[in-house]
Amino acid sequence: YTLRTLFPYTTLFRSRLQALYLTTTRTPLTRKIKAHFTGHLQSALLYALEFAKKDTNGAWRDAKQIHKAMDGAGTDDKMLIIR
């Protein structure tokens, strides 16, 4: 599956969905996803929501992923190549 299959909605829709969820429940949607999902599905959901944060072209999300790949001892070369 691709993210387009799992999340056919636009980035603007996902951004508004997060804002509405936060306003309604006073809990970030990402926190709920982390509490109720694990593994690859959790990663896919969080990745889709990260795309909607800060910008609509994914630059912020990609920068965050690159930072994570280079954080700590060693470098995650696979992650850097993907970016």
Side-chain angles (χ1 to χ4, degrees):
Y1 292 99
T2 64
L3 286 179
R4 288 185 190 265
T5 304
L6 292 171
F7 309 102
Y9 305 106
T10 64
T11 304
L12 181 61
F13 176 83
R14 282 180 259 157
S15 179
R16 288 183 178 169
L17 177 67
Q18 288 184 78
L20 180 62
Y21 189 86
L22 181 62
T23 303
T24 305
T25 64
R26 296 185 181 176
T27 303
L29 186 54
T30 54
R31 186 179 298 163
K32 285 293 186 178
I33 289 171
K34 289 176 183 176
H36 294 283
F37 295 96
T38 60
H40 296 297
L41 182 57
Q42 180 191 51
S43 297
L45 291 169
L46 293 174
Y47 189 80
L49 291 179
E50 288 292 323
F51 187 77
K53 279 186 180 178
K54 307 287 185 196
D55 61 18
T56 56
N57 64 3
W60 183 81
R61 179 208 56 221
D62 288 345
K64 188 174 176 181
Q65 291 292 329
I66 289 170
H67 184 266
K68 185 177 177 182
M70 297 181 73
D71 193 26
T75 301
D76 186 354
D77 293 335
K78 223 193 297 187
M79 182 60 74
L80 290 176
I81 292 169
I82 291 171
R83 295 291 141 235

